[in-house]
Amino acid sequence: MIELTDLTKIYGHGDDRTVVLDRINFRVEAGEILAVVGPSGAGKSTLAQCVNLLTLPTSGSVVVNGEDLTTLSTQKLRVARRRIGTVFQSAGLFERRTAAENVSLPLEYLGVTASEARHRVAELLDRVGLTARANHYPFQLSGGQRQRVGIARALALRPSVLLSDEATAGLDPTTTSSVVDLLRELRDDLDLSIVFITHEMDTVLKIADSVASLDHGSIVESGRLVDLLTDPDSHLGAALRPQGVAANASAGEQVWHVVYDSPDVPPDWIARASADLGSPLSVLGASVQQVGGVTIGAATLGIPDRLSSRAAEVLSRYGLATTTTTPAVEELEGVA
């Protein structure tokens, strides 16, 4: 478990002070993955450095398994920091060391015997599927393989928390999926708490249990992923949610954009709503997928103008909420 309480980082003093992180609060339980998203300049990099204590926060606490690491002496902090493994963007491997030698680096610093280190390295490379690449140098590995070496190295000291700092940035979709699958597998097998910092919203949908949005150094919105995706008023949910396609209204028809507002939307909601309205609904486009065992998504519908007064109530019966509507063509032409 890792918990941040009022974590604050300020650079400078007086009129020159810059608040980079402003009272950050979140908790990640064992076996949970929290994704932290935000635009460039939001404070994600500083947050990563404060989470693993490479940069000491100005105030607030970083608690891992019940111990506040920010209160420890330098010597004790050096030991406690082993509880947090970090996977960096582009893996951060040493080019003159083989995959096995890169993974063994934390063990060497710790003074583990050569035989113990070889056994641990072999175990870790097997776990990430790279036993056959143990003696390859980074330039001989693909981007995904280098990240797997980085993940193995981060696990060398058996941490309870794994920090992934833009670990999938720059990877192609297939490689990203393989890294995400590996992280989820490790989470399940090792009961890790994972803080996954990223700007890739598509990746969040594949990996996260919970999400926090960081902007100008503050958490502006957070929650369980499924709850955010099924909340039509959530700005973060809207940014994460698959979108319906844009479409033009036909004569006498309105275009409605609707989102799944419930985890229990029936798969045949279109047929049911059409039957209730006594007229078939036109599906102009839709994007629907499974997230955490729940179907989420959005759709663009063509609603006959004569049914618009009833449509919202009917759609709400099946867990759908209207986000925007476009008036009928003749109304738009009349205004013009």
Side-chain angles (χ1 to χ4, degrees), residues 1-2 27-33 191-194:
M1 179 277 291
I2 182 170
R27 179 185 176 100
V28 188
E29 300 291 349
E32 180 183 2
I33 299 176
D191 205 27
L192 295 170
S193 303
I194 297 180

Side-chain angles (χ1 to χ4, degrees), residues 103-165:
V103 175
S104 71
L105 194 59
L107 301 170
E108 293 173 17
Y109 283 142
L110 193 60
V112 174
T113 66
S115 61
E116 290 176 321
R118 283 195 298 271
H119 181 269
R120 179 64 175 154
V121 168
E123 176 188 1
L124 289 166
L125 288 176
D126 178 64
R127 179 173 283 279
V128 300
L130 288 180
T131 298
R133 298 288 186 270
N135 296 318
H136 285 59
Y137 289 90
F139 74 89
Q140 297 173 305
L141 303 174
S142 68
Q145 289 171 339
R146 288 194 294 270
Q147 277 300 42
R148 285 172 176 266
V149 174
I151 292 170
R153 184 178 60 188
L155 296 174
L157 302 183
R158 306 183 189 277
S160 59
V161 175
L162 189 64
L163 171 63
S164 171
D165 184 13

Side-chain angles (χ1 to χ4, degrees), residues 162-192:
L162 189 64
L163 171 63
S164 171
D165 184 13
E166 296 283 6
T168 59
L171 300 179
D172 63 75
T174 300
T175 304
T176 294
S177 292
S178 70
V179 171
V180 165
D181 290 345
L182 175 60
L183 290 174
R184 290 181 65 87
E185 177 185 320
L186 292 170
R187 181 275 305 270
D188 295 339
D189 291 348
L190 304 177
D191 205 27
L192 295 170

Side-chain angles (χ1 to χ4, degrees), residues 82-121:
R82 298 170 192 164
R83 303 174 197 169
I84 304 174
T86 303
V87 185
F88 300 97
Q89 182 178 352
S90 302
L93 304 182
F94 290 90
E95 294 297 324
R96 294 187 178 183
R97 297 178 70 104
T98 64
E101 290 169 344
N102 268 283
V103 175
S104 71
L105 194 59
L107 301 170
E108 293 173 17
Y109 283 142
L110 193 60
V112 174
T113 66
S115 61
E116 290 176 321
R118 283 195 298 271
H119 181 269
R120 179 64 175 154
V121 168

Side-chain angles (χ1 to χ4, degrees), residues 237-245 259 285-287 297-300:
L240 290 164
R241 189 184 302 118
Q243 301 297 310
V245 299
V259 298
S287 180
T300 305

